[in-house]
Amino acid sequence: MAASTGSLGSAGSSSQEEVTLSAAVVDGNEVTVTIDNDTDESLVCTWHAKGKDAADGDDPAAAFHDIVEPGPREEKATIDVDGDYLINWDCTSSETDERWGTEGDQPTADPYAFAIGDDELGEGSLGGDTGSLVTGGLVVGSLVLGGLAIGGLVLG
């Protein structure tokens, strides 16, 4: 399930579009998280994925902390438990006080939402090359490749 990187404000003089985060479920329970650093400097970035209903003290299902150079940086994570997840993130300049992400006093983005589905139940998330979003037995989306429809309307 795709979600917007969102925009809520600015951090110092930084532009909210300079650093963004996105994620895609690419293979069952594997998630690719991309931080796109459009600044000219190295940033210290952290992200963590937790279940949508997780408490503050709960351990994350996946986490990352490292230096992100200018350009895109992809990290893959495997999440073992199906469900709805949110990624909260923070990138900070080591040279200035600029900051991007969902954390801090002036967030520049909303948490990024995605879902890990249970294939046996017919539920999945949109992402990768194929997939459909199923709600209560009703297929609400389908993928068309070169004029060939994959999926369709299914009433449970």
Side-chain angles (χ1 to χ4, degrees), residues 5-120:
T5 54
S7 60
L8 298 174
S10 63
S13 62
S14 63
S15 168
Q16 61 204 24
E17 294 85 22
E18 286 180 318
V19 182
T20 58
L21 178 140
S22 60
V25 178
V26 293
D27 184 23
N29 289 38
E30 186 174 288
V31 179
T32 299
V33 178
T34 303
I35 296 175
D36 195 5
N37 176 2
D38 283 340
T39 71
D40 293 331
E41 58 187 285
S42 300
L43 303 175
V44 176
C45 294
T46 302
W47 62 259
H48 61 273
K50 285 188 174 184
K52 188 174 179 182
D53 298 324
D56 285 340
D58 290 349
D59 289 334
F64 168 86
H65 177 84
D66 205 356
I67 302 294
V68 175
E69 300 297 334
R73 165 90 181 252
E74 286 187 355
E75 291 296 322
K76 294 185 187 310
T78 299
I79 298 180
D80 296 326
V81 178
D82 292 346
D84 295 326
Y85 289 85
L86 294 174
I87 297 175
N88 282 290
W89 61 284
D90 180 71
C91 288
T92 306
S93 168
S94 58
E95 297 175 21
T96 67
D97 63 352
E98 293 178 293
R99 184 177 194 161
W100 298 264
T102 62
E103 309 290 323
D105 294 335
Q106 295 182 318
T108 61
D110 294 314
Y112 195 95
F114 68 96
I116 297 292
D118 183 347
D119 293 334
E120 290 183 17

